Amino acid sequence: MDSRTFPVLLDSGEPVQLRPIRPRDAGRMRAGIAAMSDHSRYLRFFNGSQTMPDHIIDRLCDADGWKHIAWGAINPSAPDKPAIGAVHAICRGASS
């Protein structure tokens, strides 16, 4: 799996680590979704629930780096290093 990590500073001066999302990030993904507002969860998932089914979390964390690219932003300064953002790009119908 891709092990690239890029330390960056936000405009506010806060440090952030950008890196590929991995299957072991399921807990971070769950916590990040639970921390979203009901409105944000609805816009993202068409569902306001604080918890997502396992198959949704598995799909979000199971990026192959080719047809599904997933990167996360991690707060390295916080004790539990929470996720503060994620981006996904999924290619549909591409040949292998």
Side-chain angles (χ1 to χ4, degrees):
M1 188 68 187
D2 194 332
S3 62
R4 294 176 288 174
T5 299
F6 299 94
V8 297
L9 288 177
L10 300 178
D11 288 342
S12 65
E14 294 178 77
V16 172
Q17 288 181 339
L18 302 177
R19 66 167 179 76
I21 294 172
R22 304 172 186 120
R24 69 176 184 242
D25 290 319
R28 278 193 178 110
M29 188 67 69
R30 287 183 193 287
I33 290 169
M36 296 169 101
S37 70
D38 291 343
H39 183 72
S40 291
R41 276 192 304 276
Y42 181 79
L43 291 175
R44 174 75 166 90
F45 300 103
F46 306 107
N47 180 338
S49 175
Q50 285 189 324
T51 58
M52 291 292 125
D54 289 341
H55 73 275
I56 299 291
I57 299 298
D58 292 345
R59 180 69 179 117
L60 291 171
C61 294
D62 188 28
D64 63 9
W66 179 251
K67 291 184 180 180
H68 177 191
I69 300 166
W71 282 74
I74 306 294
N75 179 351
S77 300
D80 55 349
K81 297 183 175 23
I84 58 173
V87 63
H88 297 262
I90 300 172
C91 181
R92 301 257 185 234
S95 59
S96 308

